[in-house]
Amino acid sequence: MRTLAFQMPDRGGGPSGPRMRVGRPSRRARTLLMTLGVLAVLAMAFIMFAGFWTDWLWFRSVKYSTVFTTTLWTKIGLFAVFGLLMAGAVGLNIWLAHRLRPPLSAMSMEQQSLDRYRMSVAPYRRWLLLGIAALVGLIAGASAAGQWKTWLMYVNGVAFGQKDPQFHKDVSFYTFDLPWYRFLLGFGFAAVVLSVIAAAVVHYLYGGLRVTSPGARATAAATGHLSVLLGLFVSLKAVAYWLDRYGLAVKSSDFKAADNWTGLRYVDANAYLPAKTILVAIAAICAVLFFATLWRRTWQLPVIGFGLMVLSAILIGGLYPAIVQKFQVQPNEQAKESPYVEKNIKATRDAYGIGGAEVSDYAGVPAAGTDKGQLRKAADTTASIRLLDPNIVSPAFQQLQQVKGYYAFPSTLAVDRYSGQDTVIGLRELNIGGIPKNNWINDHFKYTHGYGVVAAKGTTVGDQGAPDFTQSDLPSKGMFGTDFEQRIYYGEQTKQYSIVGGPQKELDYSDDKGEKETSYKGDSGVNLDNPINRAAYALAFSEPQIMYSGAIGDGSRILYNRTPKERVEAVAPWLTIDGAPYPAVIDGRIKWIVDAYTTTNGYPYASRTTLGQSTADSLTNSQRAVVAQENQVNYIRNSVKATVDAYDGTVSLYQWDTQDPVLKTWMKAFPGTVKAKSEISKALMDHIRYPQDLFKVQRELLTRYHVTDPQTFLSGSEAWAVPDDPTTKAGTAVPPYYLSMKMPGQKEKDQVFSLTTTFTPNERDNLSAFMSVNADPGTPGYGKIRILKLPTSKPVDGPKQVQSKFQSEPKIAESIRLLRGGDSEVEYGNLLAVPLDGGMLYVEPVYVRSSGLKYPLLRKVLVTYGGQTAFEDTLEKALNVVFGAEAPTTPTPPTSPTTPPDGSTTPPTSQDPTVKAALADAQKAVEDADKALKAGDWAAYGKAQSDLQAALKRAIDAEAKLTAPKPGG
């Protein structure tokens, strides 16, 4: 036998005897390969480290490192805990299934075919167990880390002090607790399902489960193991049914009365709710039957129980509610649904801050017999009509104040108020596309910032219809003076990184005397002195020159995340940011003011809205960002006012809504990140305003929820719509407009900076309501929403109808045709609506962009009131025509050496040569003063005023000599 065995052929093949070392790498090659492998691992590790390190450096530079660390440790904690739980659950069940394998496998064809798999797995059994457990643990941990906001809200939740009307639980249960419970439930289901699959595979591989073999299909051990897991699954299902009961309060459903309806309806309270309670009991009984299999060793009862549970879910949870809806609700829907609609109306109005909206009836037509002179006077005192449309005049700012091609203004300017005057303001930001020669040094080292503020009066225009600038030129001078930091390193258009403060000088600005250079002196950005930092940023920005460029040296700092929205979002990732940050000059600094919101999707009974849809209007297509495009919410508060310094990028968060429990929750989670409201300075408070995006969300909800009567709400007869912008052909919503005005019945004596909009009935163009909110926090009524509801019996023209009448009036149409002559373009500005003495005053500026000019100029003003329409060169003339009366003149001032006797600025006339010469000098001084004022040259303006006074004094003295009594006369 030995000889026979010895003579058997070699199954390995090849020659016998000593094996030849074919192709084995040398020691040097092995060392090289090992070194390359280590370097590759280190490179991958550094790439991963670079992202983490640059994030840490950035948060530390803006002094919000606690946000980074809190978020990081929360993610790590969740990753570790839930990753280990999932790995432990799956690994334990794999190990247990292996331990419970039968001692001998039946020699069936099925088991023989599995033998080779068992044999191949056996040597790597431990590694496979660890590998599978680690894989599912990593996936589960990563999923859990994404729930860091849910966890922080759960552990830091603050009570709302309000209870839902169905279960009488505090609203915080739905906003903070229920989302976390749902996550835990989902995690439990995933762990049990994966454990069932893993255990079943192991039992099958080792013979505990059989598919085709004769005899028993499962061993007692496999039956007990799997029945316990299935019992856990059904137990979790019972918990899910219990949570579903509360989920009905925040469940969205289709309901003809309102889109995105949220909360219980009649069928939910009277069919789904009891059905869920019954299913909890059935699932609990079914789970007990599965657990009982440990002793009974049979699947018969649990399978029957599970089948009954599924059948009950279909019949009780699906068919029964459908029957209730069909035969109880539909025949008498209004009566059945009214109590639930009432709850939804109240909750929605509370959740969106519109519960205090004041709705009052408004005639819509002028009161009969009102004196025309009084109406004309009221037109001036009721509102400061803004003629300068911030959405149209940006090209005028660009052409008249851009100065250099590497500067640019945003396409939509901001409206603010300074010294009681509505003002259109914009910053001269860096335009990277306008740099004369683009290269790495120019783009990131030399051209690093914008320079200067440009502002113009909102209610008047200058020569030929151009903006009447109150702050202009480069360096900027005017109403703000010159003694403020004009450099703009952080702005809406500043999206590229810059490296500043090092050996490479930056272009500050250029004028007739040449280029002015500067070097950044702020402490913003991340220092690049450290080679590790340079390497990390070279990787982060995929720019190897950062590693070795000689333009980087001592003091070099890298600036990035430079738009106000990016910076606030980064330091407060739990906030939703408004789409329209705006600049203001405050205490010698240019600061961006950013409105931020706290939101939730779990306010019981409050209907949901999609922020992207609610905040879209005719300006968001290309000019403005839409806030949180896909976010669905049913609660929103403007809880935080943030500022971003345009020079050093400092981000400050201020608590604005001191009662908001969502903000209080986040302030507990991130202590010290939000400053108290009392820390807002008076200078900053003067420029805070009511935010546009919140107003647009509220007006969208108020199209339906201005109605508080359930029957009327259900009928839909009082539903409104936000009209399309009549000045465009895009068919998008009209934007709201900032305007200083007085509402009828308003307690404030003076005009108040407000945000306004109009409503029309659904599918109709006439006016149904006018809405205004007090946008000035310096007044007692800040945030007060007032709605003027117009009668349905006497239709009043809406914006689209007014625009159509403007364009169809023969004389106006002819004038517009003439304005379009010579390839000129006519652009319609914002159509402003103002309630006035029972009627609606509409005013629309008309701009002309001639073929020779690249920017629009205000040429005409359209005005209509009470059926009268005017199309004149100025607002004053148009109002005079519409009302058939001129505005009352101011009392005649006493004469003085510097004021002509008639009280006007026109010097007295005389044929005396001395008087004529003095008047000529006075006229020249007036012209010089006007030029100096427009140029912002205050020294020249003062000199012209002195010359004017001297000339007028000479004229008055000469006139006095001529009119003095002659001797003997």
Side-chain angles (χ1 to χ4, degrees), residues 1-7:
M1 291 294 291
R2 290 180 182 176
T3 303
L4 186 61
F6 178 77
Q7 293 178 345

Side-chain angles (χ1 to χ4, degrees), residues 486 530 532-533:
Q486 299 193 29
N530 189 324
I532 295 178
N533 291 358

Side-chain angles (χ1 to χ4, degrees), residues 758-817:
T758 53
F759 294 107
T760 58
N762 269 336
E763 308 298 331
R764 293 170 61 191
D765 294 327
N766 57 287
L767 191 67
S768 59
F770 176 87
M771 173 178 166
S772 171
V773 66
N774 183 334
D776 186 355
T779 59
Y782 173 78
K784 178 68 175 179
I785 296 175
R786 294 181 175 90
I787 298 175
L788 302 180
K789 182 181 175 184
L790 279 73
T792 56
S793 56
K794 297 180 180 178
V796 177
D797 288 343
K800 186 176 181 180
Q801 293 171 323
V802 169
Q803 187 71 28
S804 298
K805 289 184 177 181
F806 276 158
Q807 296 174 344
S808 61
E809 184 80 22
K811 291 183 180 180
I812 296 176
E814 178 62 19
S815 298
I816 292 175
R817 188 186 66 80

Side-chain angles (χ1 to χ4, degrees), residues 670-933:
F670 296 98
T673 56
V674 181
K675 300 178 181 179
K677 186 175 183 178
S678 58
E679 294 188 43
I680 298 177
S681 67
K682 173 64 168 60
L684 173 57
M685 187 69 77
D686 288 342
H687 297 282
I688 287 176
R689 66 188 191 187
Y690 200 85
Q692 291 187 57
D693 282 335
L694 175 61
F695 184 76
K696 286 189 283 188
V697 170
Q698 290 175 326
R699 75 171 178 178
E700 179 65 30
L701 269 297
L702 281 167
T703 57
R704 291 164 286 139
Y705 286 94
H706 65 279
V707 174
T708 56
D709 175 61
Q711 301 289 335
T712 307
F713 186 91
L714 281 167
S715 70
S717 60
E718 293 290 333
W720 298 337
V722 177
D724 292 339
D725 190 344
T727 64
T728 68
K729 297 180 180 179
T732 48
V734 62
Y737 297 122
Y738 286 107
L739 189 68
S740 291
M741 60 173 294
K742 287 193 298 185
M743 285 284 283
Q746 183 174 304
K747 295 181 180 179
E748 293 86 351
K749 295 181 180 179
D750 299 324
Q751 297 174 7
V752 174
F753 192 63
S754 306
L755 194 53
T756 66
T757 191
T758 53
F759 294 107
T760 58
N762 269 336
E763 308 298 331
R764 293 170 61 191
D765 294 327
N766 57 287
L767 191 67
S768 59
F770 176 87
M771 173 178 166
S772 171
V773 66
N774 183 334
D776 186 355
T779 59
Y782 173 78
K784 178 68 175 179
I785 296 175
R786 294 181 175 90
I787 298 175
L788 302 180
K789 182 181 175 184
L790 279 73
T792 56
S793 56
K794 297 180 180 178
V796 177
D797 288 343
K800 186 176 181 180
Q801 293 171 323
V802 169
Q803 187 71 28
S804 298
K805 289 184 177 181
F806 276 158
Q807 296 174 344
S808 61
E809 184 80 22
K811 291 183 180 180
I812 296 176
E814 178 62 19
S815 298
I816 292 175
R817 188 186 66 80
L818 293 174
L819 290 174
R820 286 199 175 105
D823 296 328
S824 295
E825 296 180 17
V826 172
E827 297 183 33
Y828 295 99
N830 36 221
L831 180 57
L832 302 176
V834 177
L836 178 64
D837 194 51
M840 293 300 298
L841 174 68
Y842 286 98
V843 179
E844 183 177 65
V846 178
Y847 296 83
V848 176
R849 192 194 299 255
S850 65
S851 56
L853 287 176
K854 296 182 179 179
Y855 59 91
L857 296 173
L858 181 67
R859 292 302 191 194
K860 293 285 186 179
V861 180
L862 283 163
V863 175
T864 185
Y865 180 81
Q868 299 296 318
T869 302
F871 188 57
E872 300 295 333
D873 295 339
T874 66
L875 174 62
E876 183 178 4
K877 290 180 180 179
L879 290 173
N880 291 345
V881 171
V882 164
F883 293 108
E886 295 187 2
T889 58
T890 55
T892 303
T895 59
S896 69
T898 59
T899 306
D902 61 358
S904 70
T905 57
T906 304
T909 59
S910 174
Q911 299 302 318
D912 181 75
T914 305
V915 176
K916 290 179 67 175
L919 293 179
D921 291 342
Q923 184 62 37
K924 183 178 182 304
V926 170
E927 294 172 357
D928 290 343
D930 187 50
K931 291 179 181 178
L933 182 62

Side-chain angles (χ1 to χ4, degrees), residues 22-34:
V22 180
R24 184 177 181 181
S26 64
R27 179 177 295 178
R28 179 177 298 177
R30 291 199 305 272
T31 303
L32 178 61
L33 289 173
M34 187 176 296

Side-chain angles (χ1 to χ4, degrees), residues 12 95 131 161 250 375 491 508 525 701 793 819 935:
W95 175 82
V250 291
L375 273 177
D508 207 11
L701 269 297
S793 56
L819 290 174

Side-chain angles (χ1 to χ4, degrees), residues 543-780:
E543 183 48 72
Q545 293 187 77
I546 294 177
M547 280 285 296
Y548 54 78
S549 174
I552 302 176
D554 291 342
S556 291
R557 310 179 73 85
I558 185 167
L559 312 181
Y560 61 104
N561 285 353
R562 298 172 71 183
T563 68
K565 188 173 187 289
E566 282 179 326
R567 295 182 78 77
V568 178
E569 279 180 333
V571 303
W574 34 273
L575 290 174
T576 299
I577 310 303
D578 190 272
Y582 59 98
V585 179
I586 300 169
D587 295 330
R589 311 282 288 194
I590 301 172
K591 293 191 177 182
W592 292 95
I593 301 176
V594 184
D595 285 288
Y597 310 106
T598 47
T599 62
T600 181
N601 196 26
Y603 196 99
Y605 272 99
S607 289
R608 291 180 171 85
T609 186
T610 303
L611 292 181
Q613 295 176 0
S614 298
T615 58
D617 59 32
S618 62
L619 301 181
T620 54
N621 295 333
S622 60
Q623 298 186 43
R624 279 194 54 230
V626 176
V627 56
Q629 181 70 44
E630 301 300 328
N631 277 18
Q632 263 213 341
V633 304
N634 67 351
Y635 172 93
I636 185 170
R637 289 290 185 273
N638 177 210
S639 54
V640 171
K641 299 288 186 180
T643 62
V644 177
D645 192 291
Y647 182 75
D648 62 22
T650 299
V651 180
S652 298
L653 307 176
Y654 297 96
Q655 183 182 16
W656 185 247
D657 189 333
T658 57
Q659 303 302 316
D660 178 28
V662 181
L663 177 60
K664 290 179 181 179
T665 295
W666 286 118
M667 289 175 68
K668 280 182 63 180
F670 296 98
T673 56
V674 181
K675 300 178 181 179
K677 186 175 183 178
S678 58
E679 294 188 43
I680 298 177
S681 67
K682 173 64 168 60
L684 173 57
M685 187 69 77
D686 288 342
H687 297 282
I688 287 176
R689 66 188 191 187
Y690 200 85
Q692 291 187 57
D693 282 335
L694 175 61
F695 184 76
K696 286 189 283 188
V697 170
Q698 290 175 326
R699 75 171 178 178
E700 179 65 30
L701 269 297
L702 281 167
T703 57
R704 291 164 286 139
Y705 286 94
H706 65 279
V707 174
T708 56
D709 175 61
Q711 301 289 335
T712 307
F713 186 91
L714 281 167
S715 70
S717 60
E718 293 290 333
W720 298 337
V722 177
D724 292 339
D725 190 344
T727 64
T728 68
K729 297 180 180 179
T732 48
V734 62
Y737 297 122
Y738 286 107
L739 189 68
S740 291
M741 60 173 294
K742 287 193 298 185
M743 285 284 283
Q746 183 174 304
K747 295 181 180 179
E748 293 86 351
K749 295 181 180 179
D750 299 324
Q751 297 174 7
V752 174
F753 192 63
S754 306
L755 194 53
T756 66
T757 191
T758 53
F759 294 107
T760 58
N762 269 336
E763 308 298 331
R764 293 170 61 191
D765 294 327
N766 57 287
L767 191 67
S768 59
F770 176 87
M771 173 178 166
S772 171
V773 66
N774 183 334
D776 186 355
T779 59

